[in-house]
């Protein structure tokens, strides 16, 4: 009987996967740019929409990975060889990897090994499970947790934001604002955001100091339409799902913010993965985040957006190689996160401005947070891949999420120390005595 059920389940999963986009025969190439000439060749290749650059660092010696369709592989290899760029093929058949991942993620119970009222990190959770988990937290911890909708996606899904406090009822605390999942295919990012939520709510006692003078507001899945589509139709779908033309849908949400919109690193071609949108803020998802940012003006001190992949902690500007006036403050915070992760796990993160470390791309949420919403610390965190690009193995989800939390926690602690809240500034000073020579002096501290 058990064997029969397994066969039926496998048959159902196979049929459910029939509509998935096939990446059969696609290869993933890895190489490094070792000099300026090679870097220029790669910049030219990156402008070709036929090649999907997973990573494109501008720092010599850092690994670059590109997904190439079977029909384009010969020409791609010849171009690399002509530029004397040594390469390796790290995945001979990306389509096979995607099929295995989808089947496993579909067959395993969504809440396996999860305590009642909690969430499992054994699989990549879908939108409905994520929404239900947040609502359950709001019921169980009503004095400390509130879930609101900041808007609706194009397809009508609520964009949930969870506000986490220490329950003291104090108004106008400083805020740490975080989001994930603006790029649909980066499944590990929402998983990491859920882990942060779990730590702040379910493990409150261990992390209560992070909520003493700051509230946390987290949007764990900013692009639910694209995220669901990447689960059901096209694994590497990146954009939103709002139609643009008869044959093209979706906008790259992280090119859609109104700060030097479309200036560089964003495509005007509707079918391109990096399509900037027909106008700035053309997408209801980016409008919702924009409005949330502005509602927190003066309170929000730290904006963190989670992406994958690449082990990077990046900050503005994305539209120019110039740095913001307070770049040293942001850099200090980012490096605190990188150092904490390296100390704990040995994983190394590269820190720097987006343009100088990766590539120029205008219209990003981190640029907008700093430049328009006046959030002083704005950082993009590109999570590791565990060797599997946008789809770390299911067995690695919790490990990567836990590692990410170590870095986020360290950055948050530094922000909290740097930007004291009004509550802390108004705390009554304690009277104490200090020995000065042979006398005692009364001082406040």
């Amino acid at each position: 009987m058990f064997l029969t059920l397994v066969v039926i389940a496998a048959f159902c999963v196979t049929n459910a996967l029939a509509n998935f986009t096939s990446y059969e025969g696609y290869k993933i190439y890895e190489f490094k740019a070792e000099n300026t000439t090679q870097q220029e060749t790669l910049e030219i290749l990156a402008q070709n929409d036929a090649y999907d650059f997973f990573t494109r660092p501008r720092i010599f010696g850092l690994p670059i990975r590109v997904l190439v369709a079977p029909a384009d592989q010969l020409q791609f290899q010849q171009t690399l060889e002509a530029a004397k760029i040594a390469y390796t093929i790290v995945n001979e058949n990306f389509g096979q990897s995607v099929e295995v991942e989808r089947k496993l993620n579909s067959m395993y119970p969504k809440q396996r090994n999860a305590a009642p009222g909690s969430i499992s990190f054994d699989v990549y959770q879908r939108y409905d499970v994520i929404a239900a988990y947040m609502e359950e937290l709001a019921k169980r911890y009503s004095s400390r947790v509130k879930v609101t909708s900041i808007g609706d996606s194009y397809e009508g899904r609520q964009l949930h934001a969870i506000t986490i406090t220490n329950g003291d009822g104090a108004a106008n605390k400083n805020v740490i604002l975080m989001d994930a999942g603006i790029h649909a295919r980066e499944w590990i990012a929402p998983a990491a955001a859920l882990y942060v939520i779990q730590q702040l709510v379910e493990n409150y006692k261990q992390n209560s100091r992070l909520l003493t003078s700051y509230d946390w507001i987290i949007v764990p899945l900013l692009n639910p339409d694209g995220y669901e589509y990447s689960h059901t139709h096209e694994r590497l779908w990146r954009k939103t799902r709002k139609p643009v033309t008869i044959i093209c849908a979706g906008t790259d949400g992280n090119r859609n913010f109104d700060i030097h919109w479309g200036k560089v690193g964003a495509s005007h071609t509707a079918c391109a993965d990096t399509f900037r949108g027909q106008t700035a803020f053309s997408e209801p998802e980016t409008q919702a985040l924009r409005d949330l940012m502005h509602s927190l003006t003066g309170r929000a001190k730290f904006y963190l957006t989670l992406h994958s992949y690449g082990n990077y902690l990046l900050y503005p500007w994305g539209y120019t190689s110039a740095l913001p006036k307070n770049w040293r403050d942001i850099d200090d915070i980012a490096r605190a996160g990188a150092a904490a992760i390296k100390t704990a796990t040995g994983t190394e993160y590269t820190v720097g401005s987006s343009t100088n470390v990766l590539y120029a791309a205008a219209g990003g949420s981190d640029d907008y947070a700093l430049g328009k919403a006046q959030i002083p610390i704005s950082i993009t965190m590109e999570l590791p891949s565990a060797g599997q690009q946008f789809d770390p193995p299911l067995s690695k989800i919790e490990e990567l999420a836990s590692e990410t939390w170590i870095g986020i926690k360290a950055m948050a602690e530094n922000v909290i120390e740097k930007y004291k809240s009004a509550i802390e500034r108004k705390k009554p000073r304690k009277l104490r005595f200090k020995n000065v020579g042979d006398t005692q002096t009364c001082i406040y501290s």
Side-chain angles (χ1 to χ4, degrees):
M1 180 65 177
F2 175 76
L3 180 60
T4 301
L5 292 175
V6 171
V7 171
I8 292 173
F11 176 77
C12 292
V13 169
T14 300
N15 280 314
L17 297 176
N19 293 325
F20 291 154
T21 297
S22 173
Y23 294 95
E24 183 65 27
Y26 280 62
K27 296 182 188 297
I28 298 176
Y29 295 79
E30 181 176 281
F31 44 86
K32 299 175 182 178
E34 302 291 356
N35 54 54
T36 302
T37 301
Q38 292 181 352
Q39 185 71 47
E40 290 172 352
T41 298
L42 298 179
E43 291 295 333
I44 294 171
L45 287 173
Q47 294 173 19
N48 187 338
D49 290 335
Y51 307 135
D52 190 346
F53 274 73
F54 290 168
T55 58
R56 203 169 88 224
R58 301 187 70 175
I59 298 175
F60 294 156
L62 291 181
I64 298 167
R65 288 194 176 185
V66 186
L67 179 71
V68 184
D72 301 314
Q73 288 165 10
L74 179 59
Q75 182 177 352
F76 184 77
Q77 290 176 191
Q78 289 174 341
T79 302
L80 294 182
E81 290 164 3
K84 297 182 180 180
I85 299 174
Y87 64 85
T88 57
I89 298 174
V90 295
N91 192 322
E92 289 281 356
N93 189 347
F94 181 69
Q96 188 176 59
S97 300
V98 168
E99 183 180 1
V100 170
E101 176 202 50
R102 285 185 180 280
K103 286 183 177 179
L104 290 174
N105 206 60
S106 298
M107 291 176 70
Y108 284 141
K110 297 302 179 185
Q111 290 293 64
R112 187 178 65 157
N113 299 329
S118 189
I119 196 164
S120 168
F121 295 96
D122 291 333
V123 295
Y124 291 106
Q125 302 291 359
R126 300 284 289 277
Y127 170 81
D128 288 342
V129 175
I130 294 171
Y133 172 59
M134 289 194 289
E135 292 293 348
E136 180 65 22
L137 291 180
K139 291 177 183 177
R140 283 176 174 257
Y141 307 94
S142 58
S143 65
R144 296 192 285 111
V145 176
K146 181 180 180 182
V147 176
T148 58
S149 173
I150 61 172
D152 291 335
S153 70
Y154 171 77
E155 293 179 349
R157 295 180 176 89
Q158 287 192 339
L159 305 174
H160 296 104
I162 185 167
T163 300
I164 306 169
T165 75
N166 67 350
D168 65 2
N172 298 317
K173 285 185 177 181
N174 286 347
V175 168
I176 292 172
L177 173 62
M178 189 172 79
D179 67 52
I182 193 170
H183 285 153
R185 64 192 188 183
E186 298 169 6
W187 294 356
I188 191 63
L194 289 171
Y195 192 88
V196 173
I197 291 169
Q198 184 193 64
Q199 294 305 305
L200 292 172
V201 178
E202 297 184 59
N203 292 333
Y204 171 72
K205 288 184 179 180
Q206 295 95 313
N207 299 299
S208 60
R209 70 184 186 281
L210 297 174
L211 292 156
T212 301
S213 55
Y214 271 68
D215 294 340
W216 290 59
I217 300 177
I218 302 173
V219 183
L221 187 53
L222 186 60
N223 178 14
D225 297 350
Y227 182 77
E228 285 297 302
Y229 191 80
S230 72
H231 277 271
T232 59
H233 288 81
E234 187 173 338
R235 176 62 186 91
L236 292 183
W237 188 261
R238 170 185 171 101
K239 303 186 287 182
T240 60
R241 290 297 301 159
K242 180 180 174 183
V244 182
T245 68
I246 295 176
I247 60 172
C248 300
T251 289
D252 184 341
N254 210 38
R255 303 291 187 277
N256 193 234
F257 287 75
D258 190 13
I259 182 162
H260 298 276
W261 174 76
K263 178 179 178 180
V264 65
S267 178
H268 64 276
T269 303
C271 288
D273 277 346
T274 58
F275 178 54
R276 63 190 181 182
Q278 293 173 307
T279 63
F281 290 122
S282 60
E283 307 307 288
E285 297 87 355
T286 57
Q287 294 170 24
L289 181 57
R290 172 200 64 193
D291 295 344
L292 177 60
M293 286 181 179
H294 285 291
S295 74
L296 299 171
T297 296
R299 294 179 60 203
K301 304 302 180 185
F302 181 22
Y303 168 70
L304 179 66
T305 179
L306 301 184
H307 288 250
S308 88
Y309 72 100
N311 299 47
Y312 299 107
L313 282 160
L314 308 171
Y315 49 82
W317 303 113
Y319 67 88
T320 175
S321 59
L323 298 174
K325 292 180 180 179
N326 69 328
W327 75 268
R328 288 184 177 83
D329 291 339
I330 308 175
D331 190 81
D332 286 345
I333 301 297
R335 291 188 185 281
I341 290 173
K342 184 175 181 180
T343 298
T345 69
T347 299
E348 294 190 12
Y349 271 73
T350 300
V351 178
S353 78
S354 299
T355 298
N356 292 311
V357 169
L358 282 182
Y359 49 81
S365 65
D366 54 356
D367 278 9
Y368 190 86
L370 177 63
K372 295 293 184 71
Q374 300 175 11
I375 302 176
I377 304 298
S378 180
I379 293 173
T380 294
M381 190 172 190
E382 297 272 1
L383 277 58
S385 68
Q388 296 294 323
Q389 296 76 55
F390 300 109
D391 51 349
L394 305 189
S395 61
K396 291 287 186 179
I397 295 173
E398 187 161 11
E399 178 183 323
L400 292 179
S402 174
E403 178 182 88
T404 301
W405 166 240
I406 291 170
I408 292 174
K409 187 176 181 181
M411 289 189 286
E413 289 170 343
N414 277 264
V415 168
I416 291 168
E417 180 62 28
K418 187 176 187 63
Y419 297 95
K420 296 290 187 181
S421 70
I423 293 174
E424 288 177 310
R425 290 196 298 269
K426 291 179 180 178
K427 283 182 179 178
R429 294 182 297 171
K430 295 180 179 179
L431 183 66
R432 65 184 180 89
F433 291 93
K434 180 180 180 181
N435 290 325
V436 179
D438 295 329
T439 63
Q440 280 191 325
T441 301
C442 176
I443 62 172
Y444 285 94
S445 63

Short mmCIF file of all heavy atoms in Angstrom, two decimals, residues 210-236:
data_model
loop_
_atom_site.label_atom_id
_atom_site.label_comp_id
_atom_site.label_asym_id
_atom_site.label_seq_id
_atom_site.Cartn_x
_atom_site.Cartn_y
_atom_site.Cartn_z
N LEU A 210 17.47 43.30 21.10
CA LEU A 210 17.34 43.87 19.75
C LEU A 210 16.01 44.60 19.58
O LEU A 210 15.82 45.31 18.60
CB LEU A 210 17.44 42.76 18.70
CG LEU A 210 18.76 42.01 18.62
CD1 LEU A 210 18.65 40.86 17.63
CD2 LEU A 210 19.89 42.95 18.22
N LEU A 211 15.11 44.41 20.56
CA LEU A 211 13.78 45.01 20.47
C LEU A 211 13.50 46.00 21.60
O LEU A 211 12.39 46.49 21.74
CB LEU A 211 12.72 43.90 20.49
CG LEU A 211 12.71 42.99 19.25
CD1 LEU A 211 12.10 41.64 19.58
CD2 LEU A 211 11.97 43.66 18.11
N THR A 212 14.51 46.30 22.38
CA THR A 212 14.31 47.20 23.51
C THR A 212 13.94 48.61 23.06
O THR A 212 12.99 49.22 23.55
CB THR A 212 15.58 47.26 24.39
OG1 THR A 212 15.87 45.95 24.85
CG2 THR A 212 15.37 48.20 25.57
N SER A 213 14.69 49.13 22.12
CA SER A 213 14.46 50.51 21.66
C SER A 213 14.17 50.59 20.17
O SER A 213 14.02 51.68 19.63
CB SER A 213 15.67 51.38 22.00
OG SER A 213 16.86 50.82 21.45
N TYR A 214 14.13 49.45 19.51
CA TYR A 214 13.84 49.40 18.08
C TYR A 214 12.69 48.42 17.80
O TYR A 214 12.61 47.36 18.43
CB TYR A 214 15.06 48.91 17.29
CG TYR A 214 16.01 50.00 16.86
CD1 TYR A 214 16.75 50.71 17.79
CD2 TYR A 214 16.16 50.32 15.52
CE1 TYR A 214 17.63 51.71 17.40
CE2 TYR A 214 17.03 51.31 15.11
CZ TYR A 214 17.76 52.00 16.05
OH TYR A 214 18.63 53.00 15.65
N ASP A 215 11.83 48.78 16.88
CA ASP A 215 10.87 47.86 16.31
C ASP A 215 11.45 47.34 14.99
O ASP A 215 12.21 48.02 14.33
CB ASP A 215 9.53 48.54 16.03
CG ASP A 215 8.82 48.99 17.29
OD1 ASP A 215 9.14 48.46 18.37
OD2 ASP A 215 7.95 49.88 17.19
N TRP A 216 11.06 46.13 14.63
CA TRP A 216 11.46 45.54 13.36
C TRP A 216 10.22 45.40 12.48
O TRP A 216 9.18 44.90 12.93
CB TRP A 216 12.08 44.17 13.55
CG TRP A 216 13.43 44.17 14.21
CD1 TRP A 216 13.75 44.67 15.44
CD2 TRP A 216 14.65 43.62 13.69
NE1 TRP A 216 15.08 44.47 15.72
CE2 TRP A 216 15.66 43.83 14.66
CE3 TRP A 216 14.99 42.97 12.50
CZ2 TRP A 216 16.97 43.41 14.48
CZ3 TRP A 216 16.30 42.55 12.31
CH2 TRP A 216 17.28 42.77 13.28
N ILE A 217 10.33 45.83 11.25
CA ILE A 217 9.25 45.65 10.28
C ILE A 217 9.83 44.87 9.10
O ILE A 217 10.80 45.31 8.48
CB ILE A 217 8.66 46.99 9.81
CG1 ILE A 217 8.08 47.76 11.01
CG2 ILE A 217 7.59 46.76 8.75
CD1 ILE A 217 7.54 49.14 10.66
N ILE A 218 9.25 43.71 8.82
CA ILE A 218 9.82 42.80 7.83
C ILE A 218 8.75 42.43 6.80
O ILE A 218 7.63 42.03 7.16
CB ILE A 218 10.37 41.52 8.50
CG1 ILE A 218 11.45 41.89 9.53
CG2 ILE A 218 10.93 40.56 7.45
CD1 ILE A 218 11.93 40.72 10.37
N VAL A 219 9.11 42.58 5.54
CA VAL A 219 8.27 42.12 4.42
C VAL A 219 9.00 40.92 3.82
O VAL A 219 9.92 41.09 3.03
CB VAL A 219 8.08 43.22 3.36
CG1 VAL A 219 7.15 42.73 2.24
CG2 VAL A 219 7.53 44.50 4.00
N PRO A 220 8.62 39.69 4.20
CA PRO A 220 9.42 38.53 3.81
C PRO A 220 9.27 38.11 2.36
O PRO A 220 10.09 37.36 1.84
CB PRO A 220 8.92 37.43 4.74
CG PRO A 220 7.52 37.81 5.05
CD PRO A 220 7.52 39.32 5.09
N LEU A 221 8.21 38.60 1.69
CA LEU A 221 7.99 38.20 0.30
C LEU A 221 7.35 39.36 -0.45
O LEU A 221 6.13 39.51 -0.50
CB LEU A 221 7.10 36.95 0.22
CG LEU A 221 6.92 36.32 -1.15
CD1 LEU A 221 8.26 36.04 -1.82
CD2 LEU A 221 6.11 35.04 -1.04
N LEU A 222 8.19 40.20 -1.06
CA LEU A 222 7.72 41.42 -1.70
C LEU A 222 7.13 41.16 -3.09
O LEU A 222 6.32 41.95 -3.56
CB LEU A 222 8.87 42.43 -1.80
CG LEU A 222 8.52 43.82 -2.32
CD1 LEU A 222 7.49 44.50 -1.42
CD2 LEU A 222 9.77 44.68 -2.42
N ASN A 223 7.52 40.08 -3.72
CA ASN A 223 7.06 39.78 -5.08
C ASN A 223 6.41 38.39 -5.10
O ASN A 223 6.93 37.45 -5.70
CB ASN A 223 8.25 39.84 -6.04
CG ASN A 223 7.89 39.49 -7.48
OD1 ASN A 223 6.72 39.44 -7.85
ND2 ASN A 223 8.90 39.24 -8.29
N PRO A 224 5.25 38.25 -4.45
CA PRO A 224 4.64 36.91 -4.34
C PRO A 224 4.18 36.33 -5.68
O PRO A 224 4.23 35.11 -5.86
CB PRO A 224 3.45 37.14 -3.40
CG PRO A 224 3.12 38.59 -3.53
CD PRO A 224 4.44 39.27 -3.76
N ASP A 225 3.75 37.19 -6.61
CA ASP A 225 3.30 36.67 -7.91
C ASP A 225 4.46 36.00 -8.65
O ASP A 225 4.34 34.87 -9.14
CB ASP A 225 2.75 37.81 -8.79
CG ASP A 225 1.53 38.47 -8.20
OD1 ASP A 225 0.96 37.94 -7.22
OD2 ASP A 225 1.12 39.52 -8.73
N GLY A 226 5.58 36.69 -8.71
CA GLY A 226 6.74 36.13 -9.38
C GLY A 226 7.27 34.91 -8.66
O GLY A 226 7.68 33.93 -9.28
N TYR A 227 7.25 34.95 -7.34
CA TYR A 227 7.72 33.83 -6.53
C TYR A 227 6.91 32.58 -6.81
O TYR A 227 7.47 31.49 -7.03
CB TYR A 227 7.63 34.23 -5.05
CG TYR A 227 8.13 33.19 -4.07
CD1 TYR A 227 9.48 32.98 -3.87
CD2 TYR A 227 7.22 32.45 -3.32
CE1 TYR A 227 9.93 32.05 -2.94
CE2 TYR A 227 7.66 31.51 -2.39
CZ TYR A 227 9.02 31.32 -2.20
OH TYR A 227 9.46 30.39 -1.28
N GLU A 228 5.60 32.71 -6.79
CA GLU A 228 4.74 31.57 -7.09
C GLU A 228 4.96 31.07 -8.52
O GLU A 228 4.99 29.86 -8.77
CB GLU A 228 3.27 31.93 -6.85
CG GLU A 228 2.88 32.01 -5.39
CD GLU A 228 3.03 30.68 -4.68
OE1 GLU A 228 2.40 29.70 -5.13
OE2 GLU A 228 3.80 30.60 -3.70
N TYR A 229 5.12 31.99 -9.44
CA TYR A 229 5.35 31.61 -10.84
C TYR A 229 6.66 30.84 -10.99
O TYR A 229 6.75 29.89 -11.78
CB TYR A 229 5.37 32.87 -11.71
CG TYR A 229 5.32 32.59 -13.20
CD1 TYR A 229 4.12 32.29 -13.83
CD2 TYR A 229 6.47 32.65 -13.97
CE1 TYR A 229 4.08 32.05 -15.20
CE2 TYR A 229 6.44 32.40 -15.34
CZ TYR A 229 5.23 32.10 -15.95
OH TYR A 229 5.19 31.86 -17.29
N SER A 230 7.66 31.21 -10.22
CA SER A 230 8.94 30.51 -10.28
C SER A 230 8.84 29.10 -9.71
O SER A 230 9.65 28.23 -10.03
CB SER A 230 10.04 31.30 -9.54
OG SER A 230 9.85 31.24 -8.13
N HIS A 231 7.84 28.87 -8.88
CA HIS A 231 7.59 27.53 -8.34
C HIS A 231 6.77 26.68 -9.30
O HIS A 231 6.93 25.46 -9.34
CB HIS A 231 6.85 27.61 -7.01
CG HIS A 231 7.74 27.84 -5.82
ND1 HIS A 231 8.33 26.82 -5.11
CD2 HIS A 231 8.14 28.99 -5.23
CE1 HIS A 231 9.05 27.33 -4.12
NE2 HIS A 231 8.95 28.64 -4.17
N THR A 232 5.88 27.30 -10.05
CA THR A 232 4.91 26.53 -10.84
C THR A 232 5.19 26.50 -12.33
O THR A 232 4.70 25.62 -13.03
CB THR A 232 3.50 27.09 -10.63
OG1 THR A 232 3.47 28.47 -11.04
CG2 THR A 232 3.07 26.99 -9.17
N HIS A 233 5.97 27.47 -12.85
CA HIS A 233 6.15 27.56 -14.29
C HIS A 233 7.61 27.69 -14.74
O HIS A 233 8.06 26.96 -15.60
CB HIS A 233 5.34 28.73 -14.87
CG HIS A 233 3.87 28.48 -14.90
ND1 HIS A 233 3.08 28.65 -13.79
CD2 HIS A 233 3.04 28.07 -15.90
CE1 HIS A 233 1.82 28.36 -14.10
NE2 HIS A 233 1.77 27.99 -15.37
N GLU A 234 8.31 28.67 -14.17
CA GLU A 234 9.65 28.97 -14.68
C GLU A 234 10.59 29.26 -13.53
O GLU A 234 10.52 30.32 -12.90
CB GLU A 234 9.58 30.17 -15.65
CG GLU A 234 10.88 30.47 -16.35
CD GLU A 234 10.76 31.53 -17.42
OE1 GLU A 234 9.63 31.76 -17.92
OE2 GLU A 234 11.79 32.14 -17.76
N ARG A 235 11.50 28.30 -13.27
CA ARG A 235 12.35 28.38 -12.09
C ARG A 235 13.16 29.66 -12.01
O ARG A 235 13.36 30.21 -10.93
CB ARG A 235 13.30 27.17 -12.06
CG ARG A 235 14.30 27.20 -10.90
CD ARG A 235 13.59 27.17 -9.57
NE ARG A 235 14.50 27.34 -8.46
CZ ARG A 235 14.83 28.51 -7.92
NH1 ARG A 235 14.34 29.65 -8.42
NH2 ARG A 235 15.63 28.57 -6.88
N LEU A 236 13.62 30.18 -13.13
CA LEU A 236 14.48 31.37 -13.10
C LEU A 236 13.73 32.67 -13.36
O LEU A 236 14.33 33.68 -13.70
CB LEU A 236 15.63 31.21 -14.11
CG LEU A 236 16.65 30.13 -13.76
CD1 LEU A 236 17.78 30.12 -14.78
CD2 LEU A 236 17.22 30.33 -12.36
#
